[in-house]
Amino acid sequence: MSLPPNLQQSFSPEEIQFIVENEPIKIFSRITTRPSVRQRNSSQNSARWKLVTADDEPLNNLVAMQTTEVALWVALLLKQQGKCSIVAPSWLTARQLQKYTDYERKHPERFSDLPWNWLVVAQLLFIKAADDLHDPVHVLRGIVQDLREIRLSKISQGLKQLNESHLQLDNLSLLEINELRPFILGVMNKLKQVHSSLTTDQDDEDVF
Amino acid sequence: MFLEIRQFQEAYERILHNSSSHSSCQLVIFVSCLNIDALCASKMLARLFKKQLVQLQLVPVFGYSDLKQHFEKLDDNINSVVFIGCGGMIDIETFLEIDAQEYLLEEGPEPKFKRGIYILDTHRPWNLDNLFGSQIVTCFDDGTVEESLQEQREAYEKLTKLEQEQQDDSQESDPSDTEDDEEEDTIDDERSSDEESGRKRNAETDTRRQRKARRKMIDKYDTVLEEYYSQGTTVSNSISVQVYSLISSLGETNLQYLWLTILGASSLDTAFPQIYNQLQPLLQDEVKRLSPTESAKTPETLTLNIQPDYYLFLLRHSSLYDSFFYSNYVNAKLSLWNENGKKRLHKIFARMGISLSIAQENWLYMDNKIKRELGTIFDKNLERYGLQDIVRDGFVRTFGYRGAISASEFVESVTALLEIGQVSDPDELSKHNDSILLENNKELSEAFSRRERKWVSNFWLSWDALDDNVALMRRGIKHAQYLQRSVFNTGVAVLEKKLIKHLRIYRLCVLQDGPDLDLYKNPLTLLRLGNWIMECCAESDDKQLLPMVLASLDQETETYLVAGIAPRYPRGIDDVTSRKTILNNFSVAFQQIAAETGAKVRIDNFESSIIEIKKEDLSPFLEKLTLSGLL
């Protein structure tokens, strides 16, 4: 087929990152793109952002040292050139993450309500915007790793419940779902198959 | 054209302006590939341009012929070319056959050109055609022009003007006028009787006197330039420091750039200590300015700090004993190549109170107490042996929990990667090469090109090592230890067999057979050996400082790789900066003699004192060199 086999059933991690990069994030701009009143009146047409897939209004309205919300991919692009600093999302602080871990520990049956893209965003910001985070990166990295491990163990506990009909995975992030997808889907499909043969057998017995 | 340090930013902005289009890559950087300083400088430039989202192409070149080849293949729409570490000593416009008019966009008092060539080179002397004559070539100067080239500048400008006049004159008048003066005089005598012609003669003598005066002036300026070009070559500054000053004028300094600068500057320490000593205080100030003040060590800290560093070979990565044993400096001072020297070394350890078994341990696992007190131990004991200058201030970089490395050690590692490269076990290197004798010229050039391709791939390997790649750096260190050991062995063999001949004006050493001969095909390794021998020689005799010619035979191509090395002062003792810099005279001498004798010589290396000679041409060449009196 035109798509390689490893991409036919699920997303690759890069595709997940691509999806996540479309989410909005707050930045501190270091440049000003908002035209001054005089410029606007003289209708001088300087270079403007013209985007098809995202809103270009905030980008043409940047003022240095004011927060704006833009798509994550734009933020990373500007960050690479030193033209903005990224404001870390409110859940990406040592304190908040600690709260999440406490919650995870207290409730062995449930996952805490981290945003669906927490792993990817954390990873991206650790690598590309480490200097913008309030807490030192190594502390954050440690807590994120804790969270990841706790949740992984819960997932493996939960796999005992696999059945043919349904599964409830509240608050599981996209990346975590994605790595489980091939396994869970395969097993559940097989279970379903086995089960359906069981019911048809019963039907057959009823006829006779 | 040339630029002062203050004007670097303008050039940068011009390059940026010219190459920031979306269509295609319009900026090419040529890097001299066997030069660590150039490597660091180009790394910094590439990072800087990457941040501005400018596309660029980086081409490592190993010699002039390669440079020319690559330059000819350049695309038409490339409008900025940067040479790093090369091109300053030759007339670029003639060498690369550039016709300035071809690139002319706009005429007028300030003509605009389509392509600009920028030269970042610290080899001196500058070629004056690049500095003053050319309009597309822009040299990044570090103040040499203002300080010491005023006379030459005047001479060059007057000379071009006079030559222009002369040409104009000869075009106007008939060819007989340009004959020699004496001849004209005899003709004049014959027809002196005529009155009318006498008047005519008056005018003629006038112009002739003018012409004579002009010729005298031309001669005078010619000698000024001749002297300038024949004074010998040296390196005036570090390229990385020049690039760093550009970056700091842009306000973009950070620790990574500073680390690369320090590496570039420290790479000059072995061959040109006076430059490093000049730059070191500046770099120290920068380190103090930029270092973050963190108390505890975390996995993320990549700090630079100033710590006592030793002239010992790879102290942090081998054992104390080995680093004493293989260090150039200690070797020279203690004459370690003979038995007595070795005994003396043991005595030093005894006096320092470090047992030999501890000294053989790897530095990482050595007793902490000794490590902590090493400074004071050295202070107390080494002066007796004249080794007190072993300690100096150095720069140490910490890679979080992965270890620390000092700048000089890192330079050793990168150099070794440039020399050996991909091989995981250096011992294979000497084995696998069973020399195949080549028959005709085609195979010869093939052998050269194969070797040169290898150097280019080595360049990229060391390029990667500069990206905080600890695994690569470790491999480089292993290579460096291997190389230093074989250099030591060869050096000892040379000294024991007394292979060094003291000719009247220089020392000569020819390596014809030996176990590690294959290693010395690389100019960098040959220079490493040269440095080792020079330092030993500099310590041993105090009468006169003689330059040295070092040649090694390459079986494969039947050529000798010959390096001329300038004499060196013994290290330490008194202030090095107060002494006169020694210029390398071989570059000029080699070129002249090659032209005179027509020996089969390849002068291709950017380091003009390194050449290749056919096997049978070496001895007549050296004979001529001895008698020429150019040194």
Side-chain angles (χ1 to χ4, degrees):
Chain A
M1 275 215 274
S2 57
L3 212 57
N6 60 335
L7 293 180
Q8 278 170 15
Q9 299 296 325
S10 67
F11 296 117
S12 69
E14 291 80 18
E15 282 168 321
I16 304 276
Q17 186 181 333
F18 179 77
I19 293 167
V20 170
E21 279 183 357
N22 259 331
E23 291 295 299
I25 195 164
K26 273 191 183 154
I27 58 165
F28 256 126
S29 168
R30 301 236 172 117
I31 48 170
T32 304
T33 53
R34 176 187 285 172
S36 62
V37 179
R38 203 179 303 146
Q39 262 176 338
R40 227 175 296 166
N41 288 345
S42 63
S43 70
Q44 197 179 42
N45 215 359
S46 54
R48 320 288 297 159
W49 293 71
K50 290 195 191 84
L51 303 182
V52 181
T53 59
D55 189 10
D56 48 22
E57 183 54 33
L59 283 172
N60 290 325
N61 220 358
L62 293 177
V63 177
M65 298 319 285
Q66 272 189 21
T67 48
T68 333
E69 203 159 79
V70 297
L72 181 54
W73 62 268
V74 178
L76 291 175
L77 208 67
L78 288 173
K79 170 74 192 167
Q80 192 213 337
Q81 296 173 67
K83 289 188 172 146
C84 78
S85 45
I86 296 177
V87 181
S90 57
W91 54 267
L92 195 61
T93 53
R95 211 158 137 211
Q96 192 59 38
L97 286 174
Q98 200 59 54
K99 273 184 196 158
Y100 283 120
T101 29
D102 292 346
Y103 181 89
E104 298 271 4
R105 288 213 176 94
K106 253 183 232 156
H107 302 87
E109 307 293 311
R110 260 177 279 167
F111 297 107
S112 59
D113 60 339
L114 276 160
W116 61 275
N117 52 14
W118 70 282
L119 257 179
V120 183
V121 170
Q123 186 66 8
L124 275 175
L125 294 191
F126 287 165
I127 294 173
K128 299 196 172 160
D131 49 339
D132 291 343
L133 302 173
H134 281 296
D135 303 293
V137 182
H138 64 104
V139 175
L140 290 178
R141 249 186 232 279
I143 306 178
V144 165
Q145 183 68 24
D146 282 353
L147 267 173
R148 170 108 175 105
E149 276 166 17
I150 295 173
R151 285 164 78 106
L152 266 180
S153 69
K154 279 185 189 173
I155 287 169
S156 52
Q157 287 294 318
L159 286 181
K160 288 178 191 162
Q161 314 292 332
L162 279 187
N163 59 33
E164 77 290 347
S165 60
H166 75 286
L167 203 60
Q168 191 172 354
L169 308 164
D170 285 353
N171 293 328
L172 209 58
S173 78
L174 184 54
L175 201 68
E176 286 160 321
I177 291 176
N178 195 53
E179 63 189 6
L180 290 173
R181 186 177 289 130
F183 174 71
I184 292 188
L185 281 188
V187 172
M188 281 179 80
N189 279 339
K190 264 286 179 278
L191 278 175
K192 213 196 254 164
Q193 239 174 26
V194 172
H195 216 79
S196 67
S197 68
L198 200 75
T199 51
T200 47
D201 279 359
Q202 274 174 353
D203 289 348
D204 290 348
E205 274 167 30
D206 286 347
V207 171
F208 290 106
Chain B
M1 277 186 290
F2 67 95
L3 295 171
E4 298 162 33
I5 298 175
R6 265 163 275 121
Q7 298 171 312
F8 282 7
Q9 202 183 344
E10 293 165 27
Y12 171 74
E13 248 126 54
R14 203 157 64 222
I15 296 175
L16 215 57
H17 178 75
N18 284 338
S19 45
S20 51
S21 91
H22 311 289
S23 59
S24 62
C25 170
Q26 289 171 329
L27 165 69
V28 174
I29 299 181
F30 287 106
V31 197
S32 148
C33 94
L34 294 177
N35 184 341
I36 312 267
D37 196 17
L39 176 70
C40 292
S42 57
K43 184 101 198 173
M44 283 153 76
L45 269 187
R47 269 195 197 157
L48 194 63
F49 281 122
K50 189 179 172 190
K51 205 173 171 193
Q52 299 291 337
L53 304 182
V54 171
Q55 290 185 57
L56 65 90
Q57 192 187 356
L58 197 94
V59 187
V61 288
F62 39 76
Y64 283 116
S65 62
D66 191 42
L67 178 66
K68 193 167 179 184
Q69 230 174 21
H70 280 292
F71 191 84
E72 274 164 0
K73 275 193 233 150
L74 280 190
D75 230 27
D76 233 13
N77 57 6
I78 282 169
N79 48 29
S80 323
V81 183
V82 184
F83 291 133
I84 298 184
C86 50
M89 286 167 63
I90 49 158
D91 180 2
I92 283 285
E93 262 188 69
T94 0
F95 177 70
L96 297 173
E97 294 160 13
I98 301 167
D99 186 12
Q101 297 303 320
E102 226 174 90
Y103 296 111
L104 198 66
L105 280 186
E106 227 176 82
E107 287 198 66
E110 273 185 35
K112 277 189 180 170
F113 293 95
K114 204 168 143 259
R115 182 180 283 181
I117 294 175
Y118 304 87
I119 300 182
L120 267 161
D121 193 6
T122 47
H123 290 110
R124 297 290 181 271
W126 278 113
N127 190 300
L128 295 179
D129 289 320
N130 287 344
L131 279 184
F132 310 124
S134 171
Q135 279 178 304
I136 18 184
V137 178
T138 309
C139 300
F140 285 64
D141 186 65
D142 59 337
T144 21
V145 175
E146 265 92 299
E147 279 164 26
S148 55
L149 286 182
Q150 287 312 331
E151 199 187 344
Q152 280 79 3
R153 181 179 192 169
E154 198 188 352
Y156 183 86
E157 273 160 7
K158 292 256 170 70
L159 197 61
T160 39
K161 209 193 283 169
L162 287 173
E163 270 168 359
Q164 191 65 39
E165 278 174 26
Q166 202 173 27
Q167 256 176 17
D168 291 347
D169 258 19
S170 60
Q171 274 167 7
E172 278 170 24
S173 49
D174 35 328
S176 66
D177 270 8
T178 53
E179 284 166 20
D180 285 344
D181 286 23
E182 292 167 48
E183 228 174 295
E184 279 176 34
D185 280 340
T186 51
I187 301 165
D188 285 342
D189 285 336
E190 282 166 25
R191 59 179 184 192
S192 59
S193 56
D194 202 321
E195 264 294 300
E196 215 173 306
S197 69
R199 215 178 300 143
K200 208 166 120 198
R201 233 189 76 200
N202 260 349
E204 247 171 45
T205 44
D206 233 29
T207 54
R208 205 183 307 133
R209 203 172 299 139
Q210 258 180 18
R211 218 170 291 151
K212 222 182 213 166
R214 194 158 61 211
R215 205 165 296 161
K216 204 180 267 170
M217 290 296 273
I218 288 179
D219 281 346
K220 190 183 128 201
Y221 291 135
D222 255 342
T223 43
V224 171
L225 293 189
E226 192 98 352
E227 257 170 45
Y228 170 69
Y229 281 123
S230 63
Q231 65 188 336
T233 58
T234 182
V235 164
S236 69
N237 198 347
S238 151
I239 312 170
S240 317
V241 171
Q242 280 187 320
V243 175
Y244 189 78
S245 64
L246 164 69
I247 292 176
S248 48
S249 71
L250 297 173
E252 299 247 2
T253 46
N254 62 28
L255 269 182
Q256 255 139 19
Y257 286 132
L258 183 57
W259 174 239
L260 286 174
T261 311
I262 288 172
L263 287 183
S266 333
S267 73
L268 299 174
D269 187 33
T270 40
F272 309 95
Q274 74 279 6
I275 295 165
Y276 178 73
N277 290 346
Q278 256 172 27
L279 293 174
Q280 208 208 15
L282 300 176
L283 293 174
Q284 273 185 4
D285 287 348
E286 280 298 303
V287 170
K288 278 176 201 148
R289 191 169 73 89
L290 289 176
S291 11
T293 48
E294 279 175 57
S295 48
K297 198 170 166 188
T298 70
E300 309 289 330
T301 41
L302 293 171
T303 51
L304 258 179
N305 35 24
I306 301 162
Q307 280 178 18
D309 191 20
Y310 308 99
Y311 277 121
L312 294 176
F313 185 74
L314 296 181
L315 178 61
R316 283 178 183 73
H317 302 271
S318 63
S319 68
L320 187 60
Y321 185 85
D322 274 355
S323 58
F324 261 97
F325 197 66
Y326 290 116
S327 132
N328 285 358
Y329 178 70
V330 178
N331 257 308
K333 285 279 183 195
L334 296 182
S335 38
L336 266 186
W337 64 87
N338 54 31
E339 257 331 286
N340 272 339
K342 228 174 269 177
K343 267 186 215 148
R344 216 172 304 156
L345 182 62
H346 289 192
K347 212 187 270 172
I348 290 178
F349 275 111
R351 204 176 280 281
M352 289 195 293
I354 300 172
S355 83
L356 281 181
S357 62
I358 287 179
Q360 305 275 16
E361 275 171 35
N362 194 315
W363 170 261
L364 254 184
Y365 310 113
M366 216 170 77
D367 198 349
N368 254 331
K369 205 175 124 221
I370 295 177
K371 270 196 241 182
R372 233 173 295 131
E373 287 170 6
L374 204 62
T376 46
I377 293 176
F378 279 179
D379 266 354
K380 265 186 228 156
N381 296 303
L382 290 183
E383 199 161 344
R384 189 187 302 265
Y385 298 94
L387 285 174
Q388 68 275 33
D389 291 310
I390 217 168
V391 193
R392 56 171 177 172
D393 276 340
F395 304 96
V396 175
R397 180 158 195 200
T398 323
F399 295 102
Y401 291 157
R402 287 174 297 175
I405 190 166
S406 82
S408 54
E409 287 161 354
F410 203 105
V411 169
E412 286 290 344
S413 150
V414 175
T415 321
L417 280 178
L418 271 183
E419 288 163 67
I420 297 186
Q422 199 52 266
V423 194
S424 53
D425 181 19
D427 289 314
E428 289 168 22
L429 199 78
S430 37
K431 277 183 223 157
H432 81 99
N433 218 326
D434 37 353
S435 48
I436 317 141
L437 292 177
L438 298 173
E439 259 125 62
N440 51 32
N441 268 334
K442 201 183 153 212
E443 284 179 52
L444 187 79
S445 63
E446 218 168 71
F448 274 125
S449 76
R450 193 172 55 232
R451 183 182 313 160
E452 282 154 0
R453 267 203 307 278
K454 210 184 117 210
W455 290 346
V456 170
S457 78
N458 287 353
F459 172 87
W460 290 116
L461 203 66
S462 12
W463 173 272
D464 290 341
L466 292 181
D467 283 322
D468 297 344
N469 187 338
V470 178
L472 258 182
M473 181 197 84
R474 293 252 159 77
R475 195 195 295 171
I477 283 174
K478 258 192 198 147
H479 288 351
Q481 281 163 341
Y482 171 77
L483 281 175
Q484 189 75 7
R485 233 171 297 147
S486 48
V487 160
F488 179 77
N489 289 339
T490 319
V492 169
V494 162
L495 291 175
E496 273 178 353
K497 288 183 194 160
K498 301 210 166 57
L499 284 179
I500 300 177
K501 295 189 188 83
H502 288 261
L503 305 175
R504 195 166 42 81
I505 45 173
Y506 65 93
R507 293 191 183 95
L508 171 68
C509 174
V510 181
L511 299 171
Q512 256 158 347
D513 46 3
D516 298 325
L517 215 55
D518 275 335
L519 288 176
Y520 303 110
K521 282 175 194 169
N522 191 316
L524 278 176
T525 324
L526 195 67
L527 282 183
R528 192 192 278 260
L529 176 65
N531 281 333
W532 192 91
I533 297 178
M534 280 313 281
E535 222 159 303
C536 281
C537 290
E539 289 300 333
S540 55
D541 58 8
D542 26 38
K543 277 167 286 177
Q544 56 186 145
L545 301 160
L546 289 175
M548 186 171 75
V549 174
L550 185 63
S552 84
L553 179 66
D554 177 0
Q555 290 287 351
E556 204 176 343
T557 51
E558 302 251 292
T559 49
Y560 277 102
L561 184 65
V562 179
I565 300 167
R568 195 157 302 166
Y569 295 115
R571 265 190 203 271
I573 301 174
D574 57 55
D575 193 19
V576 184
T577 46
S578 63
R579 291 160 166 169
K580 222 175 121 249
T581 50
I582 305 177
L583 303 169
N584 193 336
N585 292 319
F586 283 113
S587 354
V588 185
F590 282 167
Q591 272 170 29
Q592 283 199 12
I593 293 167
E596 273 174 34
T597 55
K600 289 217 176 65
V601 175
R602 221 164 79 108
I603 305 181
D604 193 47
N605 202 303
F606 290 125
E607 210 64 64
S608 50
S609 55
I610 296 176
I611 58 171
E612 281 159 278
I613 304 187
K614 264 268 171 233
K615 198 175 176 186
E616 55 273 11
D617 287 340
L618 181 69
S619 50
F621 183 85
L622 290 175
E623 227 165 78
K624 199 82 180 183
L625 184 65
T626 320
L627 300 173
S628 67
L630 285 167
L631 301 177

